[in-house]
Amino acid sequence: QVKLVESGGGLVQAGGSLRLSCAASGSIFRINAMAWYRQAPGKQRELAAHITSGGTTNYADSVKGRFTISTDNAKNTVYLEMNSLKPEDTALYYCKIVVGLRWSGENDYWGQGTQVTVSS
């Protein structure tokens, strides 16, 4: 079983910064990718940032230039550095890891979510 523990959410004023962390533990053979998704009230969950095991990153257009995703592979941890935050960044942020299985295939695991609220 794989467990994800998120931290770092909170309330911040517009223009401020936050850093989210997500640590994975348990039976992990190989992490193929890690990502942060977000879901605002009344909206669908959307991808905010994604990083592969090779370090290739991908960002939603709405966060490019403001958010940075990074990992500490030794700790199986993914981070999301969020700068120049806007009220529209307010959402529940979820981390996801894609775990490669020993023989073939992969499984997705999700964190419980951490709330980010940006006041204007």
Side-chain angles (χ1 to χ4, degrees):
Q1 187 67 315
V2 175
K3 180 180 179 183
L4 302 184
V5 178
E6 301 172 5
S7 61
L11 173 64
V12 64
Q13 288 188 332
S17 299
L18 283 174
R19 188 190 194 211
L20 306 182
S21 299
C22 174
S25 62
S27 179
I28 298 173
F29 176 64
R30 180 183 64 247
I31 294 179
N32 290 342
M34 305 180 90
W36 287 95
Y37 286 73
R38 64 185 186 180
Q39 187 168 18
K43 295 188 177 181
Q44 289 189 331
R45 189 175 299 188
E46 64 175 5
L47 176 69
H50 179 273
I51 185 167
T52 68
S53 58
T56 299
T57 58
N58 184 45
Y59 297 92
D61 287 343
S62 58
V63 308
K64 279 181 182 176
R66 301 187 298 121
F67 290 10
T68 302
I69 188 170
S70 62
T71 61
D72 183 334
N73 294 328
K75 297 180 179 179
N76 288 336
T77 299
V78 61
Y79 304 97
L80 186 67
E81 185 76 33
M82 304 184 294
N83 298 314
S84 302
L85 282 162
K86 304 175 181 180
E88 50 264 43
D89 294 318
T90 295
L92 194 57
Y93 284 70
Y94 298 90
C95 69
K96 185 184 87 169
I97 68 167
V98 181
V99 175
L101 303 180
R102 185 173 296 273
W103 302 114
S104 66
E106 54 190 23
N107 286 336
D108 294 348
Y109 296 92
W110 291 85
Q112 78 284 359
T114 184
Q115 179 67 39
V116 171
T117 302
V118 184
S119 63
S120 57

